[in-house]
C-alpha cells in the first residue's frame, strides 16, 4: 500500500483514472467518473464534486488503491489436488 503524501497528488491520481483509498474513519475507495468522484465505503456509495470531495477529505491520509487480482485456477495444481488420496 503506497501512501500519497499531498492532496494535489490525490487529485492528479484520480484524474488519471486511478483509484485511491482511505483506511479511517471508514475504509473507502475513491475513483473519478464524469468529473465526479465516486465513493465506495462498506455501507455507502455516493458521488461528490471535486470541491465537495476536497472539503470533506482534504485532511485524510490516502493510499493508492490496487484492486484485488482474480487468480486463475492452475489446472495442473487442481488435478494434483483432486488426484491426492487420503489415507
Amino acid at each position: 500500500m503506497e501512501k500519497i503524501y499531498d492532496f494535489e497528488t490525490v487529485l492528479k491520481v484520480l484524474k488519471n483514472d486511478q483509484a485511491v483509498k482511505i483506511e479511517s474513519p471508514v475504509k473507502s475507495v475513491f475513483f473519478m467518473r464524469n468529473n465526479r468522484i465516486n465513493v465506495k465505503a462498506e455501507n455507502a456509495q455516493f458521488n461528490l464534486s471535486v470541491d465537495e470531495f476536497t472539503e470533506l477529505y482534504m485532511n485524510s491520509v490516502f493510499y493508492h488503491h490496487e484492486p484485488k487480482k482474480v487468480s486463475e485456477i492452475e489446472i495442473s495444481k487442481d488435478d494434483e489436488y483432486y488426484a491426492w488420496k487420503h489415507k
Side-chain angles (χ1 to χ4, degrees), residues 4-16:
I4 302 173
Y5 291 95
D6 62 274
F7 197 75
E8 288 179 20
T9 303
V10 170
L11 293 175
K12 286 179 186 176
V13 168
L14 289 169
K15 289 178 181 177
N16 285 330

Side-chain angles (χ1 to χ4, degrees), residues 22-78:
I22 60 173
E23 295 292 321
S24 78
V26 176
K27 290 182 181 181
S28 305
V29 175
F30 307 87
F31 60 95
M32 186 173 270
R33 185 159 292 137
N34 299 324
N35 294 322
R36 305 266 310 164
I37 297 174
N38 292 280
V39 183
K40 287 190 176 183
E42 292 177 12
N43 296 318
Q45 184 173 337
F46 53 95
N47 64 56
L48 303 167
S49 69
V50 173
D51 292 337
E52 293 167 332
F53 174 73
T54 301
E55 185 178 328
L56 291 170
Y57 294 100
M58 183 177 212
N59 296 317
S60 298
V61 177
F62 286 89
Y63 300 90
H64 286 279
H65 175 67
E66 297 178 18
K68 293 180 182 176
K69 296 178 183 175
V70 177
S71 60
E72 294 183 25
I73 297 173
E74 291 183 38
I75 302 300
S76 62
K77 287 186 178 182
D78 199 41

